[in-house]
Amino acid sequence: MDWSTAVKELDGKLPNDVASLVHMTSSDTGTGQFDEASMQKARRILNNMMLDAWADLDDVMFECKEFQERNRGTYEQVVADLARLGSQLSNLGELRIDASQGITDMDRERKDAEENLEKVTSEFTEIRFENAREMTIRKNDLAVFDFILQAAACKDSSFIQTEKPNMQICQSKNGPMLNFNNPNL
């Protein structure tokens, strides 16, 4: 395929800038061959442009590498911190589980102690009630015995009171009963 056929085939399929260049080179409006000095000058300019572009690219690459190196240190520090924090979280999770278990154990022991306290308090109250009832009976018996001893007490050092005792034996529905001639009784 020759040059003009290829240009016709690609017409409309190329970007505008490329199509413009293709049309410029394919048109016969030029004078033909370029001057060798102009070609050398164009090559020098193009070569200098390429060298400047490579220098700029190298500068950008160095900046990128420096940034990557700075960033790499930060990145490694972040990775190390994440690993350390993950380890701490794991340890703290274990401590939390242990603390939760301790709380559960202490709560169970507290409930057991409260139940035991309630049981012991109930037993104490029952025993105290029985003791109070027994104490009341004994105090009443003591009061009666004190009264009998005082009523039957001899005024002198004799063993039995022989003068008019202040008591009488009376018969009642419930059987014999002592009656003391004391209006306070």
Side-chain angles (χ1 to χ4, degrees):
M1 173 182 292
D2 69 340
W3 182 258
S4 61
T5 308
V7 169
K8 287 179 187 173
E9 286 288 323
L10 293 174
D11 192 31
K13 296 180 182 175
L14 297 173
N16 291 336
D17 294 339
V18 175
S20 172
L21 287 173
V22 168
H23 284 297
M24 282 177 47
T25 57
S26 66
S27 66
D28 292 330
T29 58
T31 59
Q33 292 285 334
F34 294 108
D35 181 35
E36 186 61 33
S38 294
M39 291 293 287
Q40 289 297 329
K41 184 178 177 182
R43 273 190 214 113
R44 277 193 305 274
I45 292 171
L46 185 58
N47 285 339
N48 286 336
M49 287 174 61
M50 289 296 292
L51 290 174
D52 289 342
W54 277 338
D56 290 343
L57 179 62
D58 286 344
D59 290 342
V60 169
M61 290 296 287
F62 282 123
E63 287 176 13
C64 288
K65 287 293 183 182
E66 287 174 0
F67 176 75
Q68 183 181 11
E69 289 302 317
R70 280 193 321 263
N71 190 23
R72 184 55 49 191
T74 303
Y75 175 77
E76 289 172 0
Q77 182 64 40
V78 167
V79 169
D81 288 346
L82 286 174
R84 180 182 50 82
L85 292 173
S87 175
Q88 286 179 349
L89 280 175
S90 175
N91 291 339
L92 291 174
E94 291 174 10
L95 289 176
R96 187 189 73 209
I97 290 170
D98 291 345
S100 294
Q101 183 63 39
I103 289 170
T104 303
D105 292 345
M106 289 297 114
D107 192 43
R108 183 178 35 78
E109 288 180 21
R110 181 190 54 81
K111 287 179 182 177
D112 291 345
E114 286 176 353
E115 288 173 3
N116 190 26
L117 177 65
E118 187 176 321
K119 178 182 172 187
V120 169
T121 302
S122 174
E123 290 174 0
F124 167 76
T125 304
E126 185 178 320
I127 291 171
R128 184 174 180 210
F129 177 74
E130 288 295 322
N131 288 345
R133 191 176 62 81
E134 182 68 25
M135 181 60 84
T136 302
I137 291 171
R138 289 184 182 190
K139 281 183 178 181
N140 290 341
D141 288 348
L142 181 62
V144 169
F145 293 140
D146 277 346
F147 174 74
I148 291 173
L149 286 175
Q150 285 178 2
C154 298
K155 295 187 174 121
D156 54 8
S157 58
S158 63
F159 180 69
I160 304 176
Q161 191 178 34
T162 54
E163 296 178 13
K164 303 195 262 177
N166 290 334
M167 68 175 146
Q168 298 173 341
I169 299 176
C170 301
Q171 193 63 25
S172 72
K173 301 188 251 184
N174 296 333
M177 195 170 117
L178 289 175
N179 184 10
F180 299 96
N181 292 328
N182 188 342
N184 293 332
L185 299 176

